[in-house]
Amino acid sequence: MNWFYFSSPSTFYGLAGRLAPWFFVAAALLAAWGLYLGLLVAPTDAQQGEVYRVIFIHVPTAWMSMFLYFVMACYCGLSLVFNTRLSAMMARAIAPTGALMTFLALWTGAFWGRPTWGTYWVWDARLTSELVLLFLYFGYMALANAFEDPRRGDRAAALLALIGVVNLPIIYFSVQWWNTLHQGSSVSFKGTSMHVTMLTGMLVMSASAWMYAIGATLVRVRSVILERERRTAWVRSLGAA
Amino acid sequence: MKPRTKRAVAIVGGLAALGVAAALVLNAFQSNLVFFFTPTQVAKKEVPLDRNFRVGGLVEGGTVVRHKDALNVSFKITDGAESVPVTYTGILPDLFKEGKGVVAEGRVGTDGVFKASQVLAKHDENYMPPEAAEALKQAGHPMAKENFAGQGGGNPR
Amino acid sequence: MTIWWKSWSDFWAMGGQAFFVWMSFGALLVAIVVEMLSLRLRRKRALDAIEEERDLETEN
């Protein structure tokens, strides 16, 4: 098998188009299962009451916000080092979905924080670093589109994305390194402090968010490829047929 | 828009986003990485006495006194070693309970009492149905007590 | 796998915390709709741009 076959935008365009629907189907099925568990089956929480159910969106989106940034930064690194066209396009395609996940994590966190902590927002290390992540996504997108020559945009934005990776461990470990209002992690490499149905619901929702993010990225990268390659013969021949 | 104006707008936008991010980071590093101080730090006077700061710990059992009008409340925040007396006027968050995590913002008065302008509840990362929590409590499981996630309360540094 | 709620009204009330729960789940729904629309719009624009360029070429 030739691994480089699909690293060409023209072949990946077709592959992404064929794969994307399946990821959306998987996301929908997992979401149905996860929401059924989280909203209907899971018992209430002893401490917080029903409002803890926000966790079924909050944690999956917060995880994806960090994971997508990491994947985006990996593509940026690839595009800088090997000067590959497709990886830069993938990074561009991931950014909006990553920003959306970050926004959702912050938004749901606010509406979870109000009834439990007593405030929508505090400037503690966890919340602040997650907000910085949102601005990193915004900065990446603005910088990527700031140049006439998209390749220059790729390089400048990739540099920013790579510098911003520093923020990821800060977000993750903030609740251990500093005094924060945000609680520690319920799921870590050491184990979990969650009831089994609640945990299952949360993990299923996370899997759904993952599939959704892949689907959205694949659909978007097709548009990015069309935008960038519109003067090539293969794109021209697409609509002509 | 001309391409050049568009580019300029984009660059300014990008720089503004970066600037805001940097400002947030610096602001956080300056004063907010220490989101709250522990009662031990308050006792040792390792806190900024000239401005507002936050104290975090557990609400000491048996110290919560609600005054007649019910909006006035006093309690003690403890970290196991030291405790800080606090007075507060206002609505407490639902999760405010004796033995549970709390973060109060305010300043120490001349009488040594911490006058809070805001009281926030800090809950733990354990999620379980009431029956399970009750069972753990009866078994004397530490999970029912360790609700400060290793921060501040219980283990002063 | 028994259902936790006694009735649908129980479910919608979310133990009195309906506002916070549904503001969160509602935001998820809105976000997905917005992203789907933006993906569709972006694709349409990309295809339109290709079309435009092809037309320009045939004119000349």
Side-chain angles (χ1 to χ4, degrees):
Chain A
M1 171 153 185
N2 181 4
W3 288 102
F4 294 101
Y5 178 67
F6 285 118
S7 68
S8 133
S10 56
T11 45
F12 192 75
Y13 179 85
L15 179 72
R18 282 196 301 280
L19 288 179
W22 295 106
F23 283 102
F24 283 127
V25 168
L29 292 176
L30 287 164
W33 181 23
L35 288 173
Y36 169 73
L37 285 178
L39 283 177
L40 298 177
V41 177
T44 195
D45 178 60
Q47 262 192 110
Q48 305 181 17
E50 307 298 353
V51 79
Y52 92 92
R53 293 179 198 275
V54 174
I55 202 173
F56 297 110
I57 312 174
H58 180 75
V59 171
T61 51
W63 279 348
M64 287 315 293
S65 73
M66 292 189 282
F67 180 67
L68 287 177
Y69 192 92
F70 177 73
V71 176
M72 184 180 89
C74 288
Y75 276 121
C76 285
L78 279 178
S79 83
L80 276 185
V81 176
F82 298 107
N83 214 25
T84 44
R85 282 179 302 162
L86 186 62
S87 24
M89 295 181 196
M90 281 300 283
R92 279 171 185 258
I94 290 171
T97 300
L100 192 73
M101 294 285 178
T102 315
F103 171 77
L104 279 173
L106 289 166
W107 175 275
T108 56
F111 281 94
W112 192 4
R114 183 66 189 83
T116 54
W117 299 340
T119 180
Y120 284 105
W121 180 265
V122 289
W123 293 97
D124 84 344
R126 171 54 75 81
L127 278 70
T128 307
S129 54
E130 182 74 8
L131 184 63
V132 168
L133 185 69
L134 184 64
F135 282 107
L136 281 170
Y137 276 120
F138 286 160
Y140 172 86
M141 290 188 278
L143 207 54
N145 294 313
F147 298 88
E148 198 82 332
D149 174 11
R151 301 291 287 152
R152 282 179 66 196
D154 284 345
R155 281 193 292 273
L159 211 60
L160 170 69
L162 288 173
I163 294 166
V165 168
V166 153
N167 191 39
L168 292 181
I170 293 180
I171 298 174
Y172 189 81
F173 292 108
S174 55
V175 290
Q176 294 173 30
W177 290 345
W178 300 291
N179 288 339
T180 53
L181 186 62
H182 196 286
Q183 67 280 12
S185 306
S186 296
V187 181
S188 70
F189 300 109
K190 280 180 248 153
T192 178
S193 57
M194 279 180 87
H195 174 267
V196 60
T197 312
M198 300 173 178
L199 178 68
T200 313
M202 196 177 87
L203 294 178
V204 171
M205 285 301 280
S206 303
S208 170
W210 198 355
M211 294 301 110
Y212 171 84
I214 296 175
T217 302
L218 288 178
V219 171
R220 191 176 291 110
V221 81
R222 279 162 62 87
S223 296
V224 177
I225 290 172
L226 290 182
E227 289 160 10
R228 296 278 288 268
E229 309 254 299
R230 67 171 182 273
R231 292 196 176 83
T232 60
W234 76 269
V235 168
R236 298 245 162 144
S237 62
L238 271 181
Chain B
M1 261 197 300
K2 277 182 196 158
R4 205 191 299 159
T5 354
K6 211 172 153 186
R7 189 167 61 222
V9 168
I11 290 175
V12 169
L15 286 177
L18 272 183
V20 170
L24 289 177
V25 172
L26 289 177
N27 182 45
F29 269 86
Q30 204 171 24
S31 58
N32 288 299
L33 281 187
V34 183
F35 186 68
F36 60 80
F37 295 92
T38 63
T40 302
Q41 286 173 305
V42 177
K44 285 186 188 157
K45 304 240 185 307
E46 290 172 354
V47 292
L49 289 169
D50 53 330
R51 60 174 175 89
N52 274 16
F53 65 95
R54 297 189 191 87
V55 185
L58 303 178
V59 181
E60 198 171 329
T63 64
V64 178
V65 180
R66 284 165 207 269
H67 299 282
K68 276 176 205 144
D69 49 3
L71 281 180
N72 267 316
V73 63
S74 63
F75 57 92
K76 281 183 175 169
I77 298 179
T78 180
D79 59 5
E82 300 282 347
S83 65
V84 175
V86 180
T87 61
Y88 174 64
T89 307
I91 297 158
L92 290 165
D94 294 346
L95 293 192
F96 179 89
K97 269 195 197 97
E98 291 190 357
K100 294 288 181 182
V102 68
V103 175
E105 184 177 359
R107 56 169 69 200
V108 181
T110 43
D111 52 356
V113 175
F114 188 84
K115 206 166 154 34
S117 54
Q118 187 185 34
V119 173
L120 302 175
K122 178 171 160 59
H123 64 79
D124 59 40
E125 67 276 25
N126 303 320
Y127 299 91
M128 64 188 92
E131 314 88 75
E134 194 54 39
L136 280 182
K137 208 169 153 191
Q138 277 171 10
H141 193 279
M143 216 150 139
K145 284 177 200 147
E146 268 178 12
N147 51 10
F148 232 62
Q151 291 181 353
N155 52 354
R157 288 160 303 162
Chain C
M1 291 285 117
T2 50
I3 302 292
W4 168 253
W5 308 96
K6 289 187 191 71
S7 67
W8 278 106
S9 58
D10 223 24
F11 168 73
W12 293 112
M14 280 287 154
Q17 290 163 321
F19 174 72
F20 303 104
V21 174
W22 299 123
M23 277 304 267
S24 298
F25 282 83
L28 178 72
L29 195 69
V30 171
I32 291 172
V33 169
V34 166
E35 181 159 45
M36 288 298 123
L37 289 178
S38 91
L39 284 175
R40 188 168 284 191
L41 182 70
R42 186 159 181 179
R43 178 161 174 81
K44 192 180 168 299
R45 279 194 182 148
L47 291 173
D48 285 352
I50 294 166
E51 203 62 34
E52 219 164 89
E53 229 160 87
R54 194 184 291 130
D55 289 351
L56 276 178
E57 215 158 70
T58 42
E59 269 168 36
N60 295 340

